[in-house]
Amino acid sequence: MKTIYLKSIDSTNTYLKSNYLSLDHMTWLSADHQTKGKGRSNKHWFGDSDSLMCSVLLKTNLDYEKIQMLPLLAAKSLHQVLSKYHSNIKIKWPNDLLIDDLKLSGILVESIIEENQVRAVIIGFGVNINNPSFNEEIKDIATSLSLATKSNYDKEPIYQHLINQFESDYDIFLSNTKSIIEYSNQHSALNDKQITFSHQGEIVHAKVVHVKDDGHLLVETKTQQMSLYSSEISLIK
Ligand code: BTN
């Protein structure tokens, strides 16, 4: 394992993606500022030195089924680390962490595919740690550990704990994915909840059953059961 720290960068994910050939498996990169932080679905990720922003490079040829489960693995590791500071953090499948339905952290998993083969995977973690407030665009949907617990935290031990937790979870995950799925279900923000999601251009309403052994989310509409893979979903309030 290697760690790199940069004060400022466009995006820790983009850096690892651009330099993956010369970097080792399990290289971690953290930064205090990102000028082009990336979120899921091409959204911008807002973060500054109050946030923990880091990415890890996996140089792996895992099969596609396992790669699909990496978001759940990353969420499990981060959840376990942050649960030391707050006892009611939930996992919104596949990998957002919430406190009282507000977003505490986001995870972005990107794969590098060449000649139809996965060469590497980059997992980026954005965690709101000491943020005292948020900008207009996200103020109603975001929270930080500090806002939720009324304390401030040193980011470094949280980061070191995440590195250790993820690396040990990754070793287990290579031979057994069951415990990750169980963990996702145990701490799910969605099980038994009504959700909406977009499917082939239609807005669908459904009730969540659970996360299946393959990492997909099983939901029930009025007429059928459906298995979702990481589509953008949103809770009905
Ligand atoms: C999401 O949309 O929920 C995912 C957000 C992921 C943000 C992190 S911050 C560190 C890493 N670098 C990026 O550009 N994005 C991820």
Side-chain angles (χ1 to χ4, degrees):
M1 179 269 294
K2 274 196 185 147
T3 56
I4 306 172
Y5 164 76
L6 295 171
K7 194 156 184 50
S8 183
I9 183 81
D10 51 356
S11 146
T12 54
N13 266 39
T14 305
Y15 181 95
L16 292 183
K17 233 173 151 176
S18 311
N19 295 288
Y20 87 96
L21 281 175
S22 60
L23 295 169
D24 292 336
H25 175 65
M26 284 290 178
T27 297
W28 288 81
L29 169 64
S30 63
D32 275 335
H33 297 277
Q34 293 188 133
T35 51
K36 281 191 189 158
K38 295 189 290 187
R40 292 175 60 207
S41 313
N42 289 324
K43 287 187 190 144
H44 180 72
W45 175 262
F46 299 98
D48 56 22
S49 56
D50 286 328
S51 331
L52 172 63
M53 295 179 289
C54 61
S55 303
V56 58
L57 171 67
L58 306 177
K59 284 176 112 164
T60 169
N61 56 0
L62 285 177
D63 57 43
Y64 186 62
E65 279 68 37
K66 273 233 161 86
I67 287 189
Q68 288 194 339
M69 287 190 207
L70 284 173
L72 305 182
L73 168 71
K76 185 262 176 201
S77 302
L78 184 60
H79 181 277
Q80 203 156 338
V81 169
L82 297 178
S83 291
K84 195 171 151 197
Y85 307 96
H86 191 286
S87 60
N88 201 19
I89 302 175
K90 298 282 184 205
I91 302 174
K92 181 183 165 210
W93 178 91
N95 57 14
D96 284 347
L97 298 190
L98 309 179
I99 295 178
D100 294 333
D101 286 345
L102 299 172
K103 185 153 162 168
L104 175 67
S105 70
I107 293 171
L108 178 66
V109 180
E110 298 184 277
S111 303
I112 298 174
I113 300 170
E114 282 167 0
E115 291 163 359
N116 265 338
Q117 284 216 313
V118 175
R119 304 278 183 215
V121 178
I122 289 118
I123 305 180
F125 300 82
V127 191
N128 302 326
I129 307 270
N130 292 320
N131 314 59
S133 59
F134 294 95
N135 67 31
E136 199 56 35
E137 206 173 307
I138 58 171
K139 73 176 175 28
D140 294 330
I141 53 167
T143 191
S144 66
L145 209 49
S146 157
L147 285 170
T149 61
K150 314 239 176 311
S151 295
N152 267 26
Y153 299 90
D154 182 357
K155 285 193 299 184
E156 197 50 33
I158 299 179
Y159 181 39
Q160 288 308 323
H161 188 179
L162 175 63
I163 292 176
N164 294 336
Q165 186 66 50
F166 179 81
E167 296 201 2
S168 110
D169 286 341
Y170 184 73
D171 281 347
I172 298 169
F173 167 82
L174 292 177
S175 57
N176 163 25
T177 54
K178 225 174 164 113
S179 56
I180 306 294
I181 303 295
E182 275 166 18
Y183 194 97
S184 302
N185 276 315
Q186 245 167 27
H187 299 281
S188 170
L190 297 183
N191 290 2
D192 297 325
K193 296 264 170 67
Q194 297 291 333
I195 59 164
T196 52
F197 57 94
S198 125
H199 179 68
Q200 295 172 350
E202 304 262 310
I203 299 289
V204 181
H205 297 262
K207 184 178 159 192
V208 174
V209 182
H210 58 229
V211 181
K212 292 165 46 195
D213 285 352
D214 60 6
H216 293 198
L217 188 71
L218 184 67
V219 302
E220 261 169 10
T221 68
K222 282 200 177 110
T223 52
Q224 60 174 332
Q225 287 203 326
M226 294 171 74
S227 192
L228 308 183
Y229 169 63
S230 195
S231 48
E232 213 35 60
I233 57 171
S234 57
L235 280 172
I236 300 175
K237 296 261 172 191

